[in-house]
Structures are given as C-alpha cells and as structure tokens.
Amino acid sequence: MGKHRATGTSRRAAGSVVAAGAIPLIATLIGAGTANAEVLPAPPASSPIPAALPALFPVPIAAVDPLGAAAGTVQEAARGAVRSATDSITAATAPFTHAAPAAPAVPRPAVIADPAPTPATRPVPTYTYLGPQGELHAPEAVAPVAPIEAPPGKLRIGNVEMDAPFDVREINTGAAQTEAQLATFLDSVGVERSRSDRIAAQTLGSAAIGASVANTLASPIAGTSAMVGAVAGFISGIPFLPIGLVIGPVLGAAIGYAVIAAPAAAAGAAIGGAIGAADGFAAAPYGTPPAQ
C-alpha cells in the first residue's frame, strides 16, 4: 500500500510540473496567432470545470482573459515596429527628397465667352406681298439673307416642296444655302427684298424640275449608252480576270449612262432655272407692304 501511494504522489507532482511548464508556451502561441485567428466563443456557464484546474491557476479563471491580453500586447508591439520603421525610412530618405513644385495658378477669366452662334434660319415666306422690281445697279455690300428652314418631313428645293420618304436634311440644307446666296446677290444689285426671295425660290425649284424632266427624256438614250458601256467594260475587264468581269461591266455602264444623262440634266437645269428666274422677275407686284 505504501508503494502504491508513493507512486500516485509522484505522478501527480510530475503532472503539475508539466502543466506549469506548458503555460508560457501556450501564452506564446496564443499571442503569435491572435492577429489572424478568430476569437472563440466563451464556454457555456453550465459546462463543468475540472477539479484539477483551480490547483494550477491561483487566480479565478473568470477574471483572466489570456486572449485579450495577448492580442493587446501583439498590437502594441506591431504599432511600435511600424512607427520605428517609418521614422527610420523618413530619416534615411530626407536628404534625397524634395517638395514638388507648386503648379502655377491659372487665372480664371472674369467673363467666359459664349459659344459662336449657329447660322440663323427663317421659316418659309408666305409670299403675301410682292414688291416691284426695284432699280438695278452694280453689286454692293448687303446683309446676307438667312437660309429658309424646310418643314419637318419635307423635301424643299426652292419653291418645290414634297413629302420625303427618307432623311433629306442634307439636301434641304444645301438647297437652302444656295437659295440664300442667290437671294443675297439679287439684293446686292437692287432687287426688292420680297421679289429676290421669289426669284431665288423659283430659279432653284425650276432648275430641279428641268433637270428631272431632261433626265427622264434622255433615259432611253442613256440606257442604250449604258448597255454599250457595259459591253465595253466587259471586254476591257477580260485581261483582269476574275475581278475584271465584275468591275468592268458595272463601271462601263455607269460611264455610258452618265455620258448622256449628265449633260441632259445640266441642260434641263439651266433651262428650267432661266424660266423660273424670268417668271419671278416679270411677275406683277401684289399685296400690301408689311409694316417695318
């Protein structure tokens, strides 16, 4: 019995020594892993505490927070290391760093200029008044005439106006500018303002009608010329097989048609424009002059 008790006492003493020696190692591991480890939830109050633990820890377990204490120690040590490294780097690089030159101050203009105005347009004239021809003279400087803006969805070329099946804004703009330039020229030679509007509109509209009529009348001859041009293009494209058989006939047909249609359209436009200008200039005045 005596030997058995001695053995039990020595084993308990050895276990106490091993547990006491493991405490610093456990604290060290906890302090090193606190930065990246998640805080474990506290054990439930109802969990039983082994009877051997109070003998190892003289301070009550509830009053000790080893994780919080270790975390605070590690954080303070990390802050101190960062401050020390920052101070060392700043002191070492101070002789080689220079402050960036300040950007020159750009004075803000007191008044910001407005954007350039866009060309003004005007609505289609009503033509309720037509003045006399006026006294013609050599061209002199006059105020430019504003272009006429076509109604939405309409094709307008002079006094010709029709529904547009496609986007014709570029055509309307070009026609309106040409009409305005012609009206400005008529003003510069002494034609009365309302009459110069009418002459310009009729000249441009009649020219468009004349070109269309002439092109229609010349279409049979132009078609024949296009066929001749296509054959000539086919023959010319044989040396450039295979692409020559595609491009040659198309290019030849286009040239053959244009050889007849282009002069016919130009002649029709010239004749129509002359008729429209003469009619506008010779028209009798009517209506009451608008109030100035």
Side-chain angles (χ1 to χ4, degrees), residues 5-101:
R5 284 196 300 271
T7 302
T9 303
S10 61
R11 287 180 181 177
R12 285 195 298 271
S16 301
V17 172
V18 172
I23 292 175
L25 177 60
I26 294 173
T28 303
L29 293 176
I30 291 174
T34 304
N36 296 320
E38 298 181 355
V39 178
L40 298 177
S46 60
S47 61
I49 299 177
L53 290 181
L56 299 178
F57 298 96
V59 182
I61 295 178
V64 178
D65 187 7
L67 296 180
T73 304
V74 172
Q75 291 176 0
E76 290 298 329
R79 293 193 188 97
V82 171
R83 284 195 298 268
S84 177
T86 303
D87 295 342
S88 300
I89 294 173
T90 304
T93 57
F96 307 101
T97 57
H98 304 281

Side-chain angles (χ1 to χ4, degrees), residues 183-197:
T184 302
F185 170 77
L186 294 173
D187 286 353
S188 69
V189 297
V191 178
E192 199 273 335
R193 177 88 278 278
S194 63
R195 187 172 290 270
S196 65
D197 271 348

Side-chain angles (χ1 to χ4, degrees), residues 263-284:
I271 295 172
I275 294 174
D279 181 71
F281 186 79

